[in-house]
Amino acid sequence: MGFGDLKSPAGLQVLNDYLADKSYIEGYVPSQADVAVFEAVSGPPPADLYHALRWYNHIKSYEKEKASLPGVKKALGKYGPANVEDTTGSGATDSKDDDDIDLFGSDDEEESEEAKRLREERLAQYESKKAKKPALVAKSSILLDVKPWDDETDMAKLEECVRSIQADGLVWGSSKLVPVGYGIKKLQIQCVVEDDKVGTDMLEERITAFEDCVQSMDVAAFNKI
């Protein structure tokens, strides 16, 4: 009895044909017979072997309950068609076959510790990369209207005073003079600020401190970047 080599396409074909009219390897409920055959299969069967694939996915869902499934696990040669001999694992194997992975998870304590160590290493690597990733800095673009006292105010001097304000997280941009009437022009100036370092209240306080030139300051536009 057997399925041939369950790690080969031919063996999987035998398994697929065997399961064409069966839900399980033995009987009418999942058992240790299914566990034994499942563990011998190296991975999900291809989609065209739909009987084997259906069975594989179904048995995989019992991963946490494998030890409690009924029956006694026997050698692979005790399952399958009577006219087929089991040859799984009998041929020459490469390093991948030598490192066969138990798809249900190993009960061996040493393997469990190794898996735990690898998982912790990967988590540590992920946390390290996450820590190195620069945090997103919230910024805003602000358009300010700075009004002079009268038409005799030196607007070049006013702008120089405004731009003299320096702070961490503050960058001055373009500016222009905008007529407001009666020969008076206001300074309209752009700036970009880091929200947690510079606020409009601070800007107003610093700008209106130049009281010889500045009558008032208003926020004309405020946009998050």
Side-chain angles (χ1 to χ4, degrees):
M1 297 178 68
F3 297 99
D5 184 358
L6 281 170
K7 298 188 183 302
S8 71
L12 291 175
Q13 182 65 62
V14 174
L15 176 63
N16 184 72
D17 294 343
Y18 181 78
L19 291 168
D21 59 354
K22 299 178 181 63
S23 296
Y24 303 102
I25 300 301
E26 286 185 343
Y28 301 98
V29 295
S31 68
Q32 292 301 317
D34 296 286
V35 173
V37 176
F38 183 94
E39 290 178 342
V41 176
S42 58
D48 59 326
L49 302 180
Y50 45 88
H51 299 302
L53 182 59
R54 177 260 307 160
W55 166 85
Y56 179 93
N57 290 331
H58 182 55
I59 300 306
K60 189 176 181 181
S61 70
Y62 286 92
E63 181 175 351
K64 294 181 180 179
E65 297 87 19
K66 72 163 188 172
S68 63
L69 294 179
V72 177
K73 191 189 297 185
K74 296 179 287 187
L76 286 175
K78 300 295 184 181
Y79 308 114
N83 60 341
V84 179
E85 180 182 355
D86 173 54
T87 59
T88 304
S90 64
T93 59
D94 58 20
S95 59
K96 285 188 177 180
D97 293 329
D98 291 339
D99 295 332
D100 237 0
I101 298 173
D102 181 356
L103 296 172
F104 277 120
S106 174
D107 292 328
D108 184 84
E109 183 176 351
E110 186 176 344
E111 282 194 34
S112 293
E113 288 300 318
E114 178 67 11
K116 181 179 178 182
R117 182 185 67 79
L118 287 172
R119 183 171 62 253
E120 289 175 350
E121 282 184 2
R122 287 169 183 163
L123 285 172
Q125 290 172 359
Y126 170 77
E127 291 298 333
S128 177
K129 288 181 181 178
K130 187 177 177 182
K132 290 178 182 177
K133 188 175 181 180
L136 182 64
V137 178
K139 294 183 179 181
S140 298
S141 174
I142 306 175
L143 184 64
L144 302 175
D145 282 346
V146 184
K147 296 177 182 177
W149 285 106
D150 51 42
D151 60 347
E152 295 182 358
T153 300
D154 186 341
M155 296 305 292
K157 177 65 176 178
L158 185 149
E159 181 174 352
E160 183 182 335
C161 290
V162 171
R163 290 186 181 276
S164 71
I165 300 171
Q166 301 295 318
D168 184 26
L170 169 64
V171 178
W172 293 109
S174 61
S175 65
K176 64 180 179 179
L177 296 179
V178 179
V180 294
Y182 304 102
I184 300 174
K185 296 180 179 180
K186 65 181 177 181
L187 172 69
Q188 197 166 74
I189 187 167
Q190 189 92 23
C191 66
V192 173
V193 302
E194 293 183 22
D195 294 348
D196 60 346
K197 294 180 180 179
V198 179
T200 54
D201 289 344
M202 184 271 272
L203 289 172
E204 182 174 15
E205 181 181 347
R206 298 280 295 275
I207 291 173
T208 55
F210 298 105
E211 54 188 21
D212 291 340
C213 302
V214 178
Q215 180 194 103
S216 64
M217 187 215 85
D218 296 311
V219 176
F222 189 107
N223 296 295
K224 293 288 186 180
I225 299 178

